[in-house]
């Protein structure tokens, strides 16, 4: 089958390498406004030229966020299978609009949530599903990076092009992992969203959110930040009879450190688990890109359901993001009113 890649920056090139390694399909053409000098593939004149090419069966969308919804819909209507990078769109309603077209097309649609395919995450999910340590009680997560002033000159710093800030850019991965591990949605959310440092309208640089499933009681927190001056990835899962702590994430840049998973069974008497009781696993290879391509092509070739990165999962995570943004917007006026009342009382 023939593939067209729309957007041939870092992500487009990562996908191209994975496609070639897999061998199921060949890359017919690529497009980007800034094509690398060493590009070895035929270059199309536009995104639409790739989507409308009758010889192309599969379209990869590795584009700025604002393209994702309209070009996904366009490609599905053109009869193409679609692999789209996150975020799927700007809101849950956007995803519902896409799903209508997806169902009518009969084509495969998959979103790039590669963090699910990391070795440590796979191990954590298998332990949760085995119930070796019982049910999840709570989870705590942090995902942060730093950006410099050049960030303000890119499309990511414009609300109408990016849709949001660090939560939609990077925190979406952590929210997806929390949903993946629990297997249940969160229906109660409390959040604080701020842009204290970069002060870019509509582009948050920090989000603190705490979420709960009111039926199971499982509670989770996330801190998503672009003012983490030392890149950090941390995910903790505490269960009835044990815990798992993942620090670091194996990436090509190496900026998040080694991917180290600590596992231990608790004890009911003090001092509970000790450092000596913990098992530590280090995952040296990032196979997430290759595994995603393998799963996507399996769905295209064999009709297998999309297990990871489905539009239903995209809808679930975007619904949670909507709740986080909306909660902060609802709370801000109330806090302002309270502050004004306090000032009046003092004066």
């Amino acid at each position: 089958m023939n593939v067209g890649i729309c957007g041939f920056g870092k992500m487009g090139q990562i996908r191209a390498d994975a496609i070639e390694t897999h061998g199921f399909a060949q890359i017919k053409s690529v497009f980007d406004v800034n094509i690398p000098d060493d590009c070895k593939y035929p270059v199309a004149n536009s995104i639409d030229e790739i989507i409308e090419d009758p010889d192309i069966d599969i379209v990869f969308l590795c584009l700025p966020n604002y393209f994702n919804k309209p070009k996904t819909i366009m490609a599905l209507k053109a009869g193409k299978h679609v692999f789209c990078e996150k975020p799927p769109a700007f809101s849950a309603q956007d995803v519902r609009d896409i799903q209508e077209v997806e169902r009518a097309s009969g084509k495969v649609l998959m979103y790039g949530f590669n963090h699910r395919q990391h070795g440590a995450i796979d191990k954590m999910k298998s332990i949760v599903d085995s119930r070796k340590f019982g049910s999840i009680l709570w989870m705590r997560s942090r995902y942060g990076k730093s950006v410099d002033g050049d960030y303000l000159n890119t499309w990511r710093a414009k609300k109408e092009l990016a849709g949001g800030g660090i939560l939609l850019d990077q925190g979406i991965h952590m929210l997806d992992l929390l949903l993946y591990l629990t297997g249940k949605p969160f229906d109660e959310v409390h959040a604080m969203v701020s842009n204290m440092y970069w002060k870019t309208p509509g582009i948050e640089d920090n989000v603190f959110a705490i979420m709960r499933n009111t039926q199971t009681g499982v509670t989770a927190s996330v801190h998503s930040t672009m003012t983490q001056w030392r890149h950090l990835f941390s995910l903790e899962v505490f269960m009835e009879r044990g815990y798992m702590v993942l620090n670091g994430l194996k990436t090509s840049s190496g900026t998040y450190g080694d991917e180290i998973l600590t596992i231990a069974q608790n004890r009911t008497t003090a001092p509970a688990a000790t450092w000596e009781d913990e098992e530590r696993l280090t995952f040296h290879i990032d196979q997430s890109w290759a595994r995603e391509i393998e799963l996507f092509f399996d769905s295209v070739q064999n009709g297998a359901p999309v297990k990871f990165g489905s539009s239903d999962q995209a809808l679930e995570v975007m619904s949670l993001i909507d709740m986080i943004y909306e909660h902060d917007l609802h709370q801000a006026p109330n806090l302002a009113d309270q502050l004004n009342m306090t000032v009046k009382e003092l004066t």
Side-chain angles (χ1 to χ4, degrees):
M1 302 186 82
N2 290 325
V3 172
I5 301 179
C6 302
F8 203 62
K10 177 182 177 181
M11 285 310 307
Q13 293 171 50
I14 287 174
R15 298 302 181 185
D17 290 342
I19 291 166
E20 282 207 343
T21 300
H22 187 274
F24 169 69
Q26 60 184 0
I27 299 170
K28 185 176 185 293
S29 62
V30 301
F31 171 78
D32 199 283
V33 293
N34 296 304
I35 287 290
D37 293 335
D38 59 351
C39 179
K40 61 182 180 180
Y41 306 108
V43 179
N45 294 310
S46 67
I47 297 170
D48 291 1
E49 181 179 308
I50 288 179
I51 292 175
E52 294 169 354
D53 187 337
D55 292 329
I56 288 180
D57 310 288
I58 303 169
V59 172
F60 276 70
L61 299 177
C62 309
L63 300 164
N65 297 352
Y66 64 100
F67 282 117
N68 287 353
K69 177 186 176 180
K71 296 309 177 184
T72 295
I73 289 175
M74 181 180 178
L76 289 171
K77 286 184 175 180
K80 316 297 185 185
H81 302 289
V82 179
F83 186 101
C84 181
E85 301 297 342
K86 59 78 188 167
F90 287 173
S91 69
Q93 184 55 53
D94 283 343
V95 179
R96 294 187 189 97
D97 295 342
I98 294 168
Q99 285 186 313
E100 287 187 18
V101 181
E102 176 194 11
R103 287 190 288 266
S105 73
K107 297 298 179 180
V108 173
L109 170 61
M110 180 170 164
Y111 289 101
F113 287 98
N114 72 299
H115 286 41
R116 290 189 178 209
Q117 305 306 322
H118 275 262
I121 299 298
D122 188 53
K123 179 67 174 178
M124 294 174 82
K125 179 62 172 173
S126 68
I127 290 174
V128 169
D129 289 349
S130 74
R131 299 186 61 81
K132 174 182 178 181
F133 295 146
S135 300
I136 295 175
L137 299 175
W138 57 269
M139 298 182 289
R140 178 170 54 204
S141 64
R142 296 171 292 157
Y143 201 179
K145 65 180 180 180
S146 62
V147 301
D148 57 27
D150 291 339
Y151 175 88
L152 302 179
N153 300 321
T154 69
W155 61 265
R156 294 184 185 279
K158 297 177 176 60
K159 171 74 171 180
E160 67 274 16
L161 304 182
I166 190 62
L167 184 67
L168 204 59
D169 175 43
Q170 187 183 65
I172 188 172
H173 279 300
M174 189 64 85
L175 294 178
D176 181 64
L177 292 182
L178 296 175
L179 290 166
Y180 176 49
L181 291 173
T182 61
K184 300 285 186 180
F186 297 102
D187 55 356
E188 182 182 1
V189 170
H190 300 273
M192 294 183 182
V193 180
S194 67
N195 59 354
M196 290 178 59
Y197 188 81
W198 292 108
K199 298 180 173 61
T200 307
I203 303 296
E204 76 280 353
D205 51 32
N206 275 278
V207 173
F208 294 85
I210 186 165
M211 303 153 288
R212 178 168 61 182
N213 180 295
T214 54
Q215 289 187 334
T216 65
V218 175
T219 302
S221 68
V222 62
H223 176 208
S224 178
T225 175
M226 66 170 75
T227 58
Q228 177 83 37
W229 308 129
R230 182 178 180 272
H231 286 31
L232 178 141
F233 180 96
S234 177
L235 174 57
E236 301 168 281
V237 180
F238 279 72
M239 296 161 285
E240 294 170 307
R241 297 188 297 277
Y243 61 86
M244 302 178 290
V245 176
L246 172 58
N247 285 314
L249 197 70
K250 186 66 178 179
T251 62
S252 57
S253 65
T255 52
Y256 291 94
D258 293 332
E259 188 172 318
I260 302 175
L261 176 62
T262 300
I263 306 169
Q265 185 170 354
N266 71 349
R267 297 204 301 271
T268 55
T269 56
T274 66
W275 298 114
E276 290 75 18
D277 296 324
E278 295 180 335
E279 175 188 9
R280 290 180 180 83
L281 304 174
T282 301
F283 298 82
H284 300 283
I285 301 173
D286 176 11
Q287 296 181 327
S288 63
W289 311 112
R291 293 180 68 179
E292 272 196 322
I293 292 299
E294 182 178 352
L295 290 165
F296 176 62
F297 284 158
D298 183 40
S299 293
V300 170
Q301 185 177 24
N302 302 316
V306 176
K307 185 177 180 181
F308 302 102
S310 69
S311 63
D312 284 338
Q313 292 162 357
L315 176 60
E316 195 171 54
V317 74
M318 286 308 305
S319 297
L320 185 54
I321 287 175
D322 283 354
M323 292 171 67
I324 290 171
Y325 283 147
E326 289 168 4
H327 181 269
D328 182 72
L329 289 174
H330 292 159
Q331 290 296 101
N334 296 333
L335 291 173
D337 291 343
Q338 292 173 20
L339 180 60
N340 289 334
M341 289 176 61
T342 302
V343 171
K344 290 179 180 178
E345 290 171 359
L346 291 173
T347 56

